[in-house]
Amino acid sequence: MQIILNGIQVGLLLAILLGPIFFALIQTGVERGLRAGTMVGLGIWISDVLFIAVTYAGLNYITPLKESEDFIFYVGLIGGLVLIGVGIGTLLTKPPGWEQGNIMPLKASYFSLWLKGFLVNTINPFTFVFWITMMGATVGDQGYSQGEAFLFFGATLGTIIITDFSKVALAKYIRKWLTGKHILWIRRISGSALVIFGVVLMIKSMF
């Protein structure tokens, strides 16, 4: 039971962090609604599942990558460029129907929304460092068995899914009080945040 509680605590810690994932979920939830926001979340969650599986299977081989300057540099550089690109694209476009404050029919495919969530999470070096650190601390240092690791990471991931879905649902709920200008400003804030995160990521990877 304590292992599950520990996993929930870690999931809640991630839930309160303001990062590119948070802004991607809120923006999509406000502009496109619950289903579209959930598709972005699904991309994020599948990315996390893959990270957990890969770090568990190759813990001894992957751990040195965390200390590799070349790995951090190239991942940070590529990840930063992708975030900046997505952010600029968000800034230069306007949500359909923003003048009336209405959500227009979804033009983007569900796959593109899923891919957005998957890429935003996957190219973020913090995601890799976080999961490899958690894996090293639980399976490596504390000697969690396969079953205990399943409970811990299952509780962590379950908490992440619930909190991410809650963010999207809340964004959709508050949208009915927003005017077109509010929706446009949310997009601008989200795009600016992604650009800032991308620039910071590149600077950190270089120095």
Side-chain angles (χ1 to χ4, degrees):
M1 187 63 181
Q2 185 60 44
I3 292 177
I4 295 177
L5 292 176
N6 291 341
I8 293 174
Q9 290 176 355
V10 172
L12 290 175
L13 176 62
L14 285 176
I16 63 176
L17 295 179
L18 293 181
I21 293 173
F22 173 84
F23 288 100
L25 288 171
I26 295 300
Q27 177 205 338
T28 308
V30 167
E31 292 183 6
R32 301 291 191 177
L34 186 62
R35 285 184 294 178
T38 302
M39 287 305 299
V40 174
L42 186 61
I44 295 169
W45 307 330
I46 290 179
S47 172
D48 282 333
V49 170
L50 292 177
F51 270 115
I52 292 172
V54 170
T55 53
Y56 181 82
L59 180 62
N60 293 332
Y61 303 98
I62 296 176
T63 300
L65 288 178
K66 190 177 67 170
E67 309 298 333
S68 172
E69 293 184 2
D70 289 339
F71 175 81
I72 294 175
F73 173 77
Y74 286 112
V75 173
L77 183 64
I78 295 172
L81 289 173
V82 172
L83 286 179
I84 291 172
V86 174
I88 292 176
T90 302
L91 286 171
L92 295 179
T93 57
K94 296 179 180 179
W98 72 274
E99 296 93 341
Q100 298 80 26
N102 297 321
I103 295 177
M104 300 296 285
L106 182 65
K107 294 182 179 179
S109 67
Y110 283 125
F111 175 74
S112 65
L113 291 168
W114 176 89
L115 185 62
K116 176 182 178 180
F118 183 84
L119 289 177
V120 167
N121 193 62
T122 303
I123 53 86
N124 186 355
F126 170 79
T127 306
F128 172 81
V129 172
F130 172 79
W131 288 121
I132 192 64
T133 300
M134 286 293 98
M135 194 65 66
T138 55
V139 177
D141 297 339
Q142 299 187 37
Y144 277 16
S145 65
Q146 183 176 358
E148 290 172 332
F150 179 83
L151 289 176
F152 176 83
F153 288 103
T156 302
L157 187 60
T159 304
I160 292 173
I161 292 174
I162 292 172
T163 54
D164 283 352
F165 184 81
S166 299
K167 293 172 187 175
V168 174
L170 179 61
K172 178 183 180 297
Y173 178 74
I174 65 174
R175 201 208 63 78
K176 60 185 178 182
W177 286 295
L178 302 177
T179 65
K181 289 185 178 180
H182 292 147
I183 295 174
L184 184 59
W185 271 107
I186 288 175
R187 171 169 283 239
R188 288 175 175 172
I189 292 172
S190 177
S192 300
L194 291 175
V195 172
I196 292 172
F197 284 124
V199 172
V200 171
L201 190 56
M202 293 178 66
I203 293 175
K204 282 188 174 183
S205 68
M206 293 177 182
F207 302 101

